[in-house]
Amino acid sequence: MEKLFVFDTTLRDGEQVPGCQLNTIEKIQVAQALENLGVDVIEAGFPVSSPGDFNSVVEISKAVTWPTICALTRAVEKDIDAAADALKFAKHKRIHTGIGTSPYHIQYKFNSTQEEILERAIACTKYAKRYVEDVEFYCEDAGRTDNEYLARVVEAVIKAGATVVNIPDTTGYCLPAEYGEKIRFLMENVKGIEKAVLSTHCHNDLGMATANTISGVLNGARQVEVTINGIGERAGNTSLEEVAMILKSHREIGIDTNINTRNIYPISRMVSSLMNMPVQPNKAIVGRNAFAHSSGIHQDGVLKNRESYEIIDPIDVGLDANTIALTARSGRAALKHRLQLLGVELNQDKLDKVYEQFLLLADRKKTITDDDVLLLAGKDRTESHRIKLEYLQVTSGVGVRPVASIGLNIAGEKFEAAASGNGPVDAAIKALKQIIRRKMTIQEFLIQAINRGSDDTGKVHMQVEHEGVNYYGFSANTDIIAAAVEAYIDAINKFVK
Ligand code: KIV
Ligand code: ZN
């Protein structure tokens, strides 16, 4: 079996999704889970873009041992300086630098020429090489770059020292055959190609990211850039779990990854929960329905022989059919075990607190799901908040005007107010606005049930606008009115300091 390198960019390209940003502690948690999953490279961030990103690259470099830690830059010296500085603690490090090579980028973004861009590509590769041996160069929008010119750029950067060359289909435009031909063209026409690895980086705008990635691999690429659950800006990136399971299911391809596929499901849940990004139920490999057979004919077939309708054994992706259901009677050990399966390690103190919350929730819900458990484990994200909800009482129904009374604790001081509105959430928010007298408007308000059943936990995502800036808030609660108010408070905590 030939080896395919897996480059995970969940924490860089994946994390660019508006409203899904992680803090450094959460990023470390994901990076450690990626290490356990067996990825070869973790793209940890874009250090020059913000102090937060810089710090995350530093901390992930300290927290992770085996995978190479990679930092993104533009073809700009100060970006490369920042990346080198952020990577100082990494045991294996890589700088990922590059520039747009398509006519759209050269003419409109840079108002430049092909020759000037070629010079900048060589210069930034050489500059990065001063700091690290392992330099990856990206030809942004390679998908729409003419193959002859692309080959000149790839050849020049390999000569300048690039160890990996990334061929991104930045806009998700290519057809699988076209993307595969591009990789083949480079493999056959670039002098010195054997000194570097070609990498795929496919976006999913037309739903072809995984197909394009596999086509690239079949034509000679030996690194794939992917994210957990395929998250990423717009329609997302290629999903790691799909590529890993395609290669595992099609042994005849003769290419394998280092991915421990049994860790796929836990990390999928972890990323979805930390980023508050639900996985679509019919998502391949990790969607809730990926292994659920509802038609009678299918159920009958699977019971007789699983392989009649299933090409993947759910156990191979970490879905354990025998997982013990968590209920109000489950003990701390069962909760701890489930958290460990989901990739979350808690100290005794934190486990006790989560267990308390777990029992309260279990009193309200028959069965506690993995999503519930992950939400409980992340609950203390609000502990440092200046504004906290003390109580909320709402009266609403048919033929009455909804009324809400609310109690807030603001930096230790208690405030109360009451108001009516055209619905229970409106009434509660009007009451809250009598206490916090800022100009703020809800721009987006999304309520989702996580699983099914009337006792389910509802998740609320909210965007609140204040002085021209949108602030994101999130909460989950079996009471959806409370979840809405908590999400609103989560958002305003980000600007009321
Ligand atoms: O999609 C893209 O082109 C990228 C590069 C910055 C690598 O993410
Ligand atoms: Zn990208």
Side-chain angles (χ1 to χ4, degrees):
M1 284 278 175
E2 255 191 85
K3 163 143 178 154
L4 178 71
F5 293 96
V6 175
F7 173 117
D8 182 276
T9 184
T10 305
L11 297 173
R12 199 279 298 171
D13 222 359
E15 212 241 354
Q16 274 170 227
V17 183
C20 295
Q21 277 69 32
L22 301 178
N23 62 37
T24 303
I25 294 170
E26 292 164 334
K27 284 187 187 175
I28 290 172
Q29 206 180 325
V30 173
Q32 287 173 332
L34 286 169
E35 177 167 35
N36 290 335
L37 183 67
V39 306
D40 300 284
V41 185
I42 297 175
E43 189 163 46
F46 181 12
V48 86
S49 67
S50 71
D53 243 44
F54 182 93
N55 190 41
S56 297
V57 176
V58 172
E59 295 306 323
I60 290 169
S61 297
K62 290 184 198 159
V64 159
T65 310
W66 299 112
T68 295
I69 304 300
C70 178
L72 185 81
T73 82
R74 294 167 297 181
V76 172
E77 290 189 357
K78 76 167 173 18
D79 286 28
I80 298 172
D81 295 336
D85 195 13
L87 287 168
K88 58 182 174 280
F89 296 107
K91 287 103 197 156
H92 313 279
K93 50 186 95 174
R94 177 181 296 176
I95 292 179
H96 189 190
T97 188
I99 196 160
T101 51
S102 71
Y104 301 93
H105 284 240
I106 297 179
Q107 282 160 29
Y108 304 119
K109 188 165 153 187
F110 299 115
N111 189 19
S112 184
T113 63
Q114 285 193 339
E115 295 316 307
E116 266 175 27
I117 293 296
L118 190 64
E119 287 313 312
R120 283 186 66 181
I122 297 169
C124 71
T125 305
K126 287 190 174 160
Y127 193 75
K129 243 357 223 195
R130 291 197 201 171
Y131 288 114
V132 292
E133 175 44 39
D134 193 3
V135 173
E136 173 168 341
F137 182 87
Y138 63 86
C139 309
E140 195 175 357
D141 205 13
R144 294 187 300 171
T145 302
D146 151 65
N147 286 350
E148 299 281 347
Y149 177 62
L150 189 62
R152 283 181 64 205
V153 177
V154 173
E155 193 167 307
V157 297
I158 293 175
K159 207 163 157 217
T163 44
V164 181
V165 187
N166 180 8
I167 310 299
D169 182 21
T170 306
T171 57
Y173 174 75
C174 285
L175 293 167
E178 185 187 3
Y179 188 75
E181 272 164 33
K182 197 174 274 293
I183 299 290
R184 177 161 296 271
F185 183 87
L186 298 174
M187 292 298 292
E188 290 175 352
N189 292 285
V190 170
K191 247 191 266 138
I193 192 72
E194 67 290 346
K195 294 193 197 122
V197 169
L198 283 185
S199 181
T200 66
H201 179 114
C202 300
H203 281 265
N204 204 30
D205 299 67
L206 290 171
M208 293 189 290
T210 300
N212 284 346
T213 298
I214 294 295
S215 180
V217 172
L218 293 175
N219 284 284
R222 286 296 174 270
Q223 177 180 280
V224 287
E225 302 195 7
V226 290
T227 61
I228 301 294
N229 300 337
I231 61 165
E233 259 190 306
R234 313 187 306 276
N237 289 58
T238 305
S239 65
L240 182 151
E241 59 279 5
E242 292 175 13
V243 175
M245 292 314 290
I246 287 170
L247 295 175
K248 194 176 167 84
S249 308
H250 286 271
R251 310 303 289 173
E252 75 281 7
I253 295 178
I255 296 175
D256 206 0
T257 66
N258 208 20
I259 296 299
N260 175 0
T261 61
R262 290 194 177 204
N263 289 346
I264 284 179
Y265 187 70
I267 195 169
S268 160
R269 305 303 326 146
M270 177 195 274
V271 167
S272 161
S273 163
L274 288 176
M275 290 195 167
N276 304 320
M277 248 203 135
V279 174
Q280 74 189 63
N282 58 331
K283 165 84 180 63
I285 319 294
V286 290
R288 185 172 74 220
N289 296 346
F291 299 99
H293 299 272
S294 54
S295 89
I297 298 174
H298 279 213
Q299 285 180 349
D300 182 54
V302 169
L303 288 174
K304 286 181 179 140
N305 177 356
R306 190 188 57 74
E307 285 174 23
S308 19
Y309 283 100
E310 273 182 8
I311 55 163
I312 299 171
D313 187 338
I315 291 176
D316 283 347
V317 297
L319 259 170
D320 185 351
N322 302 319
T323 307
I324 308 159
L326 290 175
T327 66
R329 277 183 289 281
S330 304
R332 263 184 197 68
L335 177 66
K336 186 174 175 186
H337 178 65
R338 177 64 56 86
L339 282 164
Q340 279 168 340
L341 286 180
L342 295 169
V344 183
E345 287 290 346
L346 299 182
N347 62 28
Q348 195 56 44
D349 242 26
K350 181 78 202 294
L351 179 68
D352 289 346
K353 280 194 195 141
V354 174
Y355 186 63
E356 253 173 54
Q357 298 293 321
F358 164 81
L359 290 179
L360 291 176
L361 184 62
D363 272 347
R364 288 185 276 150
K365 271 194 89 182
K366 249 196 334 246
T367 315
I368 304 292
T369 65
D370 289 352
D371 291 284
D372 293 329
V373 167
L374 284 165
L375 283 167
L376 292 175
K379 259 225 142 87
D380 70 351
R381 270 187 281 182
T382 58
E383 254 166 32
S384 58
H385 281 176
R386 186 173 150 80
I387 306 167
K388 291 187 178 130
L389 181 63
E390 287 259 303
Y391 70 83
L392 173 70
Q393 188 178 33
V394 182
T395 319
S396 71
V398 179
V400 290
R401 183 156 170 84
V403 183
S405 52
I406 195 167
L408 295 183
N409 179 323
I410 306 181
E413 231 185 297
K414 294 196 192 313
F415 297 86
E416 292 180 318
S420 66
N422 67 7
V425 174
D426 186 47
I429 291 199
K430 282 194 171 126
L432 184 146
K433 280 182 161 178
Q434 289 180 18
I435 304 174
I436 299 170
R437 294 177 176 275
R438 300 277 186 116
K439 228 172 161 277
M440 45 200 180
T441 19
I442 296 177
Q443 297 294 336
E444 212 176 291
F445 178 14
L446 176 71
I447 305 185
Q448 276 171 325
I450 302 180
N451 293 292
R452 53 198 102 192
S454 56
D455 65 348
D456 197 9
T457 305
K459 280 184 177 185
V460 174
H461 303 259
M462 203 179 265
Q463 302 242 13
V464 177
E465 188 269 335
H466 172 64
E467 294 180 350
V469 182
N470 275 356
Y471 296 88
Y472 174 80
F474 171 78
S475 184
N477 199 314
T478 48
D479 180 328
I480 54 172
I481 315 291
V485 175
E486 284 166 356
Y488 192 81
I489 294 174
D490 186 34
I492 62 182
N493 265 294
K494 295 180 180 152
F495 59 85
V496 178
K497 297 283 178 210

